[in-house]
Amino acid sequence: MVDIKILFYIIVILLSKQANASQTISIIRDAEIEFFLHKIIQATIDKKTKTNLYYPRLVSSNEYNAFVTGSNKIYINTGLIKKANSLSEIQGIIAHEIGHLVLNHHNSRSINKRSLFNYSKFASIAGIALSAVGKLDTNSAIGLIVGSRDLVTKSSLQFSRIQEQEADKFALDMMRKKKIPFDGLELLLLNLSNEEVSGKTSFRGYYRSHPFSKQRLDQLKKYKENIKYYPNKIQDILINDNKVSLKYIKNKIQAYNSEPYKILKNKDYNDIFLYNYSRVIALYKIGKYDLANKHLKILENEYKNYPYFFELSGDIYYKKGNFKKAIEEYKKAIKTVNGQFSPSSDLIKFSLVKSYIQTNKQNNINESIIILEQLIHNSPKWGYLWRLLAKSSSKVNRKGIAYIALAEEALIKKNFIKAKKYVDLANKQPSIPSSYKLRGADIVAKIKIKK
């Protein structure tokens, strides 16, 4: 029995480690960078693929990587942006990830994984059962469990390698149609190939979802030999006629991740514009808000009608506690974005809502409720929006809406008891809008289905 307990604890530890690994992904929501990445995606995909809108999400990770999970979101690591040498390099990787989505790899991979996992689970249970009745010693049982998981890993990754090659071919076709240079992608594969050759461990390429980079590089070279195309070398993205370079976005990420006083003490710089931007961020982070805005005005003279400098100015005023000025700046930002990319506008509206709530003025609170209802329509599973709607509604004595909002938040968090309690409280209110009453009924119905 002791052996079985040890075996059980090993399995629990392995599963908990996998769970913890999946929870370490940190998403950064930044209106400017998301709009920049959106522009890159739009410049990468062709007219036929544009029927689907893909939403970029920035992941806080130093790993040079991007990935998709089967939805219309493309997750791009900060490490990819920081280490990329050109826009075409990022475009090549994005085209590859879009290939996975267009070719519907996620669904077929899920089916394959599920059948393999069922085999692994059966083998694990068999190993524990045989060990329990004394027909299999503990070491052999562990061997059966680990061995079955090993088979699942190898089989699923082998399945994935075929998909990766298909996505590579899709990316190359897309880049050719859009006249995107292959140089960045070729340099990337060359560097990765050299790293793999110099690797010390023979298992380096065994457990991998992608084919060897040398193989992928050869595929790219053969592809180039068989086609004729004349690439456009675009290194900047236009936002309201302002050229936004990859170097600028890299500098922004670096500025927010750096020690402020280190930036302020640095006198060794090549680009005065980027240096001044870094100073604005550093001064903002240490609470020197007036100085930060002073340096920001210099930048605004160079970037005309640029929404994300207005947004940054709003952030500075918000931190200073000047909510009236923050509201003015956020409104200017929203106006100049002009609905070009709604998720970017929504993030600025989110900041505007927080400023409205801080004023404690009834007109502003009512305005925040209107905006929050719009934002919730676009992002119904963003729990914090429901929390803000509850806060705003309670400030103007609209308790029915507040309780339903709290119920929606509880439902997102899968706290069904609390969700039902808030719906009951909402229904006791003398005046509750019919739309929110219907929401309450929907919540109760969802809870019954979940149970």
Side-chain angles (χ1 to χ4, degrees):
M1 287 303 293
V2 174
D3 288 340
I4 291 298
K5 283 182 180 178
I6 291 168
L7 202 59
F8 174 75
Y9 288 133
I10 288 169
I11 293 165
V12 169
I13 290 164
L14 286 170
L15 291 174
S16 65
K17 281 189 176 180
Q18 288 177 341
N20 288 335
S22 66
Q23 292 169 1
T24 55
I25 294 174
S26 176
I27 305 294
I28 300 169
R29 299 303 307 275
D30 182 275
E32 183 177 28
I33 296 177
E34 283 189 15
F35 194 13
F36 177 82
L37 292 171
H38 164 74
K39 286 272 193 175
I40 291 177
I41 292 168
Q42 291 300 102
T44 304
I45 57 182
D46 57 21
K47 287 179 182 177
K48 194 181 286 184
T49 318
K50 274 184 184 177
T51 53
N52 293 321
L53 187 60
Y54 299 104
Y55 296 101
R57 288 290 182 268
L58 190 65
V59 179
S60 179
S61 169
N62 283 323
E63 285 187 10
Y64 184 99
N65 196 20
F67 60 93
V68 290
T69 59
S71 67
N72 59 348
K73 294 182 179 68
I74 301 172
Y75 297 89
I76 298 160
N77 285 3
T78 51
L80 170 58
I81 296 171
K82 287 192 282 186
K83 293 169 188 175
N85 295 301
S86 64
L87 286 181
S88 62
E89 193 176 322
I90 296 173
Q91 283 179 290
I93 293 165
I94 285 174
H96 172 93
E97 297 306 326
I98 290 172
H100 283 306
L101 297 175
V102 172
L103 298 169
N104 206 25
H105 284 163
H106 178 74
N107 287 341
S108 55
R109 187 177 295 183
S110 295
I111 293 164
N112 186 67
K113 250 184 188 174
R114 195 156 52 241
S115 60
L116 287 164
F117 175 73
N118 288 337
Y119 163 77
S120 170
K121 187 166 66 174
F122 173 77
S124 298
I125 293 166
I128 293 170
L130 289 169
S131 177
V133 297
K135 291 186 178 179
L136 194 66
D137 63 272
T138 306
N139 290 334
S140 299
I142 292 172
L144 178 58
I145 293 163
V146 175
S148 63
R149 290 190 180 279
D150 183 60
L151 177 63
V152 170
T153 304
K154 283 185 281 189
S155 300
S156 64
L157 293 180
Q158 186 180 15
F159 177 75
S160 178
R161 278 195 287 272
I162 297 165
Q163 292 182 330
E164 298 296 347
Q165 287 175 309
E166 289 174 348
D168 274 349
K169 176 65 167 57
F170 179 92
L172 291 171
D173 287 341
M174 190 181 285
M175 292 173 78
R176 178 179 60 81
K177 286 177 188 174
K178 297 293 289 186
K179 296 183 178 180
I180 299 166
F182 294 141
D183 303 11
L185 194 57
E186 191 169 359
L187 179 63
L188 160 67
L189 292 174
L190 180 64
N191 290 335
L192 288 175
S193 180
N194 290 336
E195 280 183 20
E196 285 165 1
V197 169
S198 62
K200 293 178 182 178
T201 171
S202 59
F203 294 102
R204 191 175 181 116
Y206 195 67
Y207 292 110
R208 53 185 298 112
S209 61
H210 291 66
F212 278 112
S213 300
K214 177 70 168 65
Q215 185 183 344
R216 299 172 76 191
L217 182 61
D218 290 341
Q219 182 179 321
L220 189 152
K221 285 178 178 177
K222 284 178 185 175
Y223 188 92
K224 280 175 68 177
E225 286 170 7
N226 297 325
I227 62 160
K228 286 183 180 179
Y229 86 119
Y230 305 95
N232 297 321
K233 296 203 173 182
I234 301 168
Q235 291 302 316
D236 295 312
I237 294 294
L238 282 177
I239 299 178
N240 288 5
D241 296 325
N242 296 294
K243 287 184 178 180
V244 182
S245 66
L246 177 59
K247 193 176 178 182
Y248 167 82
I249 297 297
K250 285 183 181 186
N251 183 72
K252 176 174 184 175
I253 293 170
Q254 183 67 28
Y256 274 103
N257 288 327
S258 296
E259 173 62 41
Y261 290 104
K262 192 175 179 181
I263 293 172
L264 296 171
K265 287 176 184 176
N266 180 32
K267 301 298 178 187
D268 183 24
Y269 52 88
N270 298 319
D271 190 313
I272 187 66
F273 179 82
L274 296 182
Y275 173 68
N276 278 330
Y277 184 87
S278 297
R279 283 180 67 84
V280 172
I281 302 303
L283 291 165
Y284 165 63
K285 285 171 76 175
I286 63 172
K288 302 283 185 181
Y289 303 122
D290 291 335
L291 266 176
N293 257 325
K294 184 180 175 182
H295 281 277
L296 185 55
K297 293 296 176 191
I298 298 168
L299 301 180
E300 286 177 0
N301 291 332
E302 293 196 42
Y303 271 34
K304 301 293 183 184
N305 210 31
Y306 190 61
Y308 302 106
F309 286 165
F310 297 139
E311 182 200 18
L312 179 53
S313 181
D315 290 344
I316 293 166
Y317 280 119
Y318 182 89
K319 280 286 186 182
K320 189 182 176 183
N322 189 339
F323 304 117
K324 184 182 177 183
K325 284 292 291 180
I327 289 166
E328 289 173 13
E329 295 298 310
Y330 289 137
K331 281 183 174 179
K332 279 196 279 184
I334 293 161
K335 187 178 179 182
T336 49
V337 170
N338 196 25
Q340 293 177 70
F341 181 55
S342 60
S344 183
S345 300
D346 284 357
L347 288 171
I348 304 170
K349 286 176 182 177
F350 174 70
S351 298
L352 175 62
V353 162
K354 290 196 295 180
S355 300
Y356 273 143
I357 292 170
Q358 288 292 335
T359 64
N360 279 319
K361 292 182 178 178
Q362 187 161 344
N363 288 343
N364 287 343
I365 303 296
N366 286 329
E367 191 65 31
S368 75
I369 292 170
I370 294 168
I371 297 170
L372 280 166
E373 287 175 334
Q374 294 169 1
L375 296 179
I376 285 167
H377 178 76
N378 295 337
S379 306
K381 292 184 179 179
W382 188 355
Y384 193 58
L385 293 178
W386 290 108
R387 172 56 60 96
L388 287 179
L389 180 60
K391 187 175 182 180
S392 299
S393 302
S394 62
K395 278 179 178 283
V396 289
N397 205 30
R398 298 170 77 175
K399 290 182 180 178
I401 295 175
Y403 284 132
I404 293 296
L406 289 171
E408 290 280 10
E409 185 195 26
L411 188 67
I412 290 167
K413 293 178 177 177
K414 293 184 170 54
N415 191 332
F416 304 129
I417 294 171
K418 190 178 277 189
K420 177 67 167 59
K421 185 187 81 172
Y422 283 130
V423 171
D424 291 342
L425 287 169
N427 288 330
K428 289 176 183 176
Q429 299 305 310
S431 60
I432 176 173
S434 57
S435 60
Y436 282 92
K437 203 168 183 65
L438 284 170
R439 274 193 175 278
D442 285 344
I443 291 167
V444 173
K446 284 175 185 176
I447 291 167
K448 286 178 180 176
I449 292 166
K450 294 287 183 184
K451 284 184 178 179

